[in-house]
Amino acid sequence: MLTDEQNNRLTQVGPGTPMGELMRRYWQPITAYSELKKNPTRAVRLLGESLVLYKDRQGRLGLIDEACAHRRVNLLYGIPENEGLRCPYHGWLYDHTGQCLEMPAEPADSTFKCRVKLKAYPVQELGGLVFAYLGPEPVPLVPRWYPFVLENSIRDIGWAVVPCNWLQIMENSLDPVHGEYLHRYFTNYVLEQMGLLEDKGSLRGPDGEPGRPKGQTPVDYWRTGAKVVHHVKVDFKVFEHGITKHRLLQGESEETSASWRIGHPILFPNYEHGAGGGGFQIRVPMDDTHTYYIWYTCRTPLPDEEGVQQMSEDIPTYKVPLSGVDEFGVPVWQRLENNSGQDNMAWSSQGPRTQRHLEQLGESDVGVILFRRLLSEQIETMEDGKDPMNVFRDPAINQCVTFPYEGREGAGDETGDVVYAC
């Protein structure tokens, strides 16, 4: 367990806090670029700061303080123009550096505008996501992780605002054992509550265990009930970009299991590689009690999609519904039928910020402990004036950054199930 002081050090992300300063060393994704096609302004809550992202009439991006310096009107309602964003209240115009360019009601010879500048941060687009950097200069490079830069790929981006601290979401990724209970045993209970746990005959494998024949949808697979496969052992290793988690399941051998030999990567500080090797789950701290969660998917085009060139402004987005309870305090079972709903329930039900001084960790929590230790070490590295892990400055090694993952040797188990890659 952690003391309150240790917990605060790893979870508080506002300006001046140890974790907040560490997170400011990284470019953080704040929205899908295609979202600005619907509306050229977007409210952004990032690391305890309230900002406005905008795209001007020339297509350039800016990220500035949400409040106009004049009378504090929210610039979310600002009017994009060729040179920046104009306040709707009195027409003050700001460029992407936050500099005020025009004050229409002031005298023509006034120099007042030269002395007014809003807080502003650099932003860049990569792979259909808009990234922001809130840290000190010199500004590092936006990491070109391979899913962001793969050519001839089809992408989509899901998102949700999860009402809890970012760390309890990340720790879930270092806790593989939860898969067999939350995503298998609990799934069966949810299906029972929904009246959907039934033997559909043809949907079961030849040995009578739940299975998903080729071409069968995941939803129908789940509704047959899920076989609980236990972990024989787990292991975790620090590598140059983060931590790999390794698991050996019942019926597997150490020699042939890619999940054991190669492992599944968690990229420091807040990325998990996606199931099947095709993207990321990214957990962006908005403040101490809210997380902007991104499901970034990148896949090879299907045969009938060959030749499709997907532009950043056309990448589809979707909002992921969160689990919860109804007005009578009854669980909404329909939102607990899949992995995302189950994970969201587990994270949020720990409270806005987990009271880690009350937890009782066991031997299976070695990955969680290792991740906390790595966070503390990287905070110390930053406080010593050095770059922490995964801060890129050399363009030569940032063209396409790859890393090991178990999917390089093929798909998951014999059913095609991917629950253990989350």
Side-chain angles (χ1 to χ4, degrees):
M1 68 178 184
L2 300 180
T3 66
D4 277 339
E5 181 181 0
Q6 292 170 329
N7 194 33
N8 290 341
R9 184 173 173 83
L10 296 184
T11 58
Q12 293 179 347
V13 296
T17 62
M19 185 54 64
E21 291 306 305
L22 179 64
M23 285 294 184
R24 281 168 172 76
R25 265 56 178 182
Y26 298 93
W27 286 89
Q28 301 288 350
I30 54 176
T31 193
Y33 184 76
S34 59
E35 290 291 318
L36 295 173
K37 189 175 182 179
K38 305 172 186 176
N39 193 319
T41 62
R42 186 171 181 84
V44 173
R45 180 74 173 163
L46 180 61
L47 299 175
E49 300 188 38
S50 296
L51 308 163
V52 169
L53 173 69
Y54 73 88
K55 183 169 67 172
D56 68 19
R57 301 283 181 174
Q58 298 185 57
R60 298 176 301 183
L61 300 175
L63 182 66
I64 60 177
D65 195 347
E66 70 170 1
C68 177
H70 183 203
R71 299 279 300 280
R72 310 300 293 170
V73 166
N74 195 318
L75 292 171
L76 176 64
Y77 306 99
I79 305 162
E81 300 196 355
N82 281 340
E83 300 303 325
L85 189 67
R86 190 178 296 277
C87 177
Y89 201 17
H90 298 95
W92 287 23
L93 178 68
Y94 301 93
D95 68 12
H96 71 281
T97 70
Q99 179 62 52
C100 185
L101 302 179
E102 294 181 8
M103 297 176 174
E106 296 301 307
D109 60 351
S110 173
T111 61
F112 183 23
K113 64 184 179 184
C114 301
R115 301 191 299 276
V116 174
K117 189 173 184 178
L118 296 179
K119 177 170 54 181
Y121 297 108
V123 285
Q124 290 187 34
E125 183 271 331
L126 179 66
L129 288 173
V130 178
F131 293 80
Y133 179 75
L134 274 59
E137 294 185 344
V139 178
L141 302 172
V142 180
R144 294 173 61 85
W145 302 114
Y146 84 87
F148 295 146
V149 297
L150 278 181
E151 297 181 357
N152 193 32
S153 296
I154 302 297
R155 296 174 168 84
D156 60 56
I157 300 170
W159 65 275
V161 174
V162 184
C164 71
N165 185 265
W166 78 281
L167 183 55
Q168 57 215 62
I169 300 178
M170 281 303 300
E171 288 179 343
N172 181 81
S173 296
L174 280 300
D175 172 24
V177 178
H178 85 272
E180 64 184 78
Y181 293 98
L182 183 64
H183 299 319
R184 295 291 185 112
Y185 197 81
F186 180 66
T187 292
N188 291 338
Y189 177 66
V190 171
L191 296 177
E192 177 186 345
Q193 292 300 103
M194 295 173 65
L196 296 173
L197 187 58
E198 55 184 315
D199 184 353
K200 291 192 174 183
S202 63
L203 297 186
R204 289 185 175 270
D207 60 355
E209 295 290 355
R212 178 161 61 89
K214 185 177 181 180
Q216 187 62 53
T217 65
V219 171
D220 284 336
Y221 167 62
W222 284 123
R223 293 183 179 188
T224 67
K227 178 183 177 182
V228 178
V229 182
H230 295 290
H231 288 71
V232 175
K233 57 182 177 179
V234 296
D235 192 18
F236 302 85
K237 300 176 182 177
V238 176
F239 76 113
E240 63 175 323
H241 296 307
I243 295 175
T244 53
K245 62 180 176 183
H246 305 256
R247 58 176 119 220
L248 188 69
L249 305 179
Q250 282 181 330
E252 296 180 341
S253 70
E254 296 184 13
E255 292 75 21
T256 61
S257 171
S259 293
W260 177 253
R261 291 185 297 103
I262 302 172
H264 192 78
I266 288 82
L267 306 184
F268 192 87
N270 57 339
Y271 284 53
E272 181 179 16
H273 195 228
F280 293 116
Q281 295 178 46
I282 311 172
R283 296 75 183 248
V284 182
M286 300 173 70
D287 51 36
D288 294 349
T289 57
H290 295 85
T291 303
Y292 180 57
Y293 196 110
I294 299 171
W295 288 264
Y296 184 89
T297 303
C298 173
R299 62 175 176 82
T300 302
L302 300 173
D304 60 352
E305 295 174 319
E306 288 296 335
V308 173
Q309 181 63 48
Q310 193 180 32
M311 306 300 291
S312 293
E313 59 266 27
D314 297 323
I315 294 176
T317 64
Y318 58 95
K319 184 177 181 180
V320 177
L322 300 181
S323 61
V325 297
D326 62 20
E327 64 271 26
F328 303 108
V330 176
V332 182
W333 298 112
Q334 289 79 3
R335 292 187 177 177
L336 295 169
E337 192 181 353
N338 57 51
N339 283 21
S340 294
Q342 292 162 2
D343 282 331
N344 286 330
M345 175 276 291
W347 307 328
S348 301
S349 66
Q350 295 175 42
R353 195 157 59 100
T354 297
Q355 299 181 67
R356 290 177 174 79
H357 67 285
L358 298 177
E359 65 187 7
Q360 301 287 330
L361 300 184
E363 291 184 11
S364 63
D365 298 307
V366 61
V368 172
I369 296 169
L370 178 62
F371 184 61
R372 294 176 184 177
R373 185 179 301 131
L374 184 60
L375 286 171
S376 296
E377 290 173 355
Q378 296 305 307
I379 288 175
E380 292 175 1
T381 296
M382 172 202 66
E383 291 175 338
D384 287 341
K386 303 174 184 177
D387 281 337
M389 177 182 287
N390 289 337
V391 171
F392 293 86
R393 300 193 184 276
D394 183 356
I397 64 173
N398 191 46
Q399 294 302 306
C400 180
V401 186
T402 61
F403 41 83
Y405 68 91
E406 73 277 35
R408 287 184 183 275
E409 294 196 1
D413 63 26
E414 67 279 1
T415 69
D417 186 67
V418 295
V419 67
Y420 285 105
C422 67

